[in-house]
Amino acid sequence: MTLISSRALPRLAGPLLALACLTGGSAVAQGNYPTHAISLVVPFSAGGPTDVVARSLGAAMAKTLGQSIIIENRTGAGGTLAAMHVARAAPDGYTFLIHHNGMATAPALYRKPPFNPLTDFSYVGQVADVPMTLLGRKDLPPGNMAEFIQYARANGNKINLANAGLGAVSQLCGMLLQESLGVQFTTVPYAGTAPALTALLGGQVDVLCDQTTQTIPHIKGQRVKLYGVTTLDRIKALPDAPTLQEGGLKGFEVKVWHGVYAPKGTPPEVIAKFNEALRAALKDPAFTQKMAELGAEIVPEAKQTPEGLRTWLQSEVDKWGPIIRKAGVYAD
Ligand code: MLT
């Protein structure tokens, strides 16, 4: 029996990966991809806003693919661990990543970025844009945004702001909020905004900026205080909710966008098949209705393509880099 020592594994990894690609490629060329379930990695907790989009999308895409999409929640480091996992996975068409703006902010947030979003992946397409909402715990004293601004300036770091870690959009939104108000809150990070919202509902933290895909049911159930939405205009799903801009933060805007990625080197035939399923899902009435109810807007067709995602990602890397560097927020 031949034993392979663990020291030999790194040397063998390249050829084995190449063999896996060839095998995967020929299966695709035979037109029988996918032959088994596909993993879609979500960088945050189950039940949170990214997970909600991923599970609905996976169910709709499975109709076209004829195979299940299994959601794999890999939390940690504001989404970075999941992105690294997918960047290093076999490019065989059975591992994909759904991620948001965090893909574009990571290069500026990390002193030594652990992956390069622009070179370490293959691109499938964008999914939907999601507004965020600024929430307080139900018994937080301010009743509206104007009062919140005064309260925030008077109480500063006595206020606990929950987020999902450096690289999460809840962190990005909170960072912009503190900068706009000229205050510093005490930040409390969680593995996703699902546990962060649970903490807000339980009164363990005071404030959370989070996506409508998770917050709308709690806003409608009046279990949290809503101070405003982070889009420049009001949104259809919450027509009575003022924007933060109306509340006094001129020009305040954070919109969350989602893309689907594969490990670099995934065969083009696989990407084409997965993209076809993605585009079909973005027209699926069950998916589109659920997204509309949760405030999410399906992206236009030009963004649903690999080129559409890659071009958008580049523009977001260019946009957020200077803002984050100016704010001086870094992780090692
Ligand atoms: C989540 O799914 O938990 C959120 O997208 C995390 C975040 O705020 O980015």
Side-chain angles (χ1 to χ4, degrees), residues 129-142:
D129 292 337
V130 183
M132 300 190 83
T133 46
L134 177 62
L135 306 178
R137 61 177 157 78
K138 199 172 162 30
D139 53 355
L140 199 68

Side-chain angles (χ1 to χ4, degrees), residues 55-147:
R55 283 177 200 272
S56 311
L57 181 69
M61 287 178 70
K63 294 180 196 169
T64 306
L65 293 166
Q67 291 289 346
S68 315
I69 295 193
I70 312 283
I71 302 300
E72 203 186 318
N73 299 89
R74 279 189 176 256
T75 64
T80 308
L81 297 187
M84 275 167 60
H85 169 77
V86 174
R88 290 167 192 176
D92 58 4
Y94 291 94
T95 306
F96 290 85
L97 168 73
I98 182 164
H99 203 345
H100 56 35
N101 312 43
M103 273 304 251
T105 55
L109 282 173
Y110 286 84
R111 281 183 218 280
K112 288 187 199 142
F115 63 90
N116 185 336
L118 295 167
T119 55
D120 293 350
F121 294 89
S122 294
Y123 306 89
V124 179
Q126 281 189 65
V127 183
D129 292 337
V130 183
M132 300 190 83
T133 46
L134 177 62
L135 306 178
R137 61 177 157 78
K138 199 172 162 30
D139 53 355
L140 199 68
N144 57 40
M145 189 58 192
E147 289 173 18

Side-chain angles (χ1 to χ4, degrees), residues 77-216:
T80 308
L81 297 187
M84 275 167 60
H85 169 77
V86 174
R88 290 167 192 176
D92 58 4
Y94 291 94
T95 306
F96 290 85
L97 168 73
I98 182 164
H99 203 345
H100 56 35
N101 312 43
M103 273 304 251
T105 55
L109 282 173
Y110 286 84
R111 281 183 218 280
K112 288 187 199 142
F115 63 90
N116 185 336
L118 295 167
T119 55
D120 293 350
F121 294 89
S122 294
Y123 306 89
V124 179
Q126 281 189 65
V127 183
D129 292 337
V130 183
M132 300 190 83
T133 46
L134 177 62
L135 306 178
R137 61 177 157 78
K138 199 172 162 30
D139 53 355
L140 199 68
N144 57 40
M145 189 58 192
E147 289 173 18
F148 178 81
I149 293 174
Q150 282 186 354
Y151 181 82
R153 291 190 174 137
N155 290 282
N157 66 6
K158 286 193 217 119
I159 297 173
N160 289 321
L161 169 75
N163 70 26
L166 211 56
V169 284
S170 45
Q171 183 271 332
L172 190 67
C173 181
M175 180 186 87
L176 293 178
L177 179 70
Q178 292 173 85
E179 219 179 54
S180 313
L181 295 170
V183 297
Q184 192 93 48
F185 297 140
T186 299
T187 298
V188 188
Y190 291 85
T193 52
L197 183 63
T198 303
L200 188 78
L201 293 168
Q204 286 107 38
V205 293
D206 303 311
V207 180
L208 169 68
C209 193
D210 194 19
Q211 297 161 68
T212 56
T213 32
Q214 169 164 247
T215 62
I216 279 184

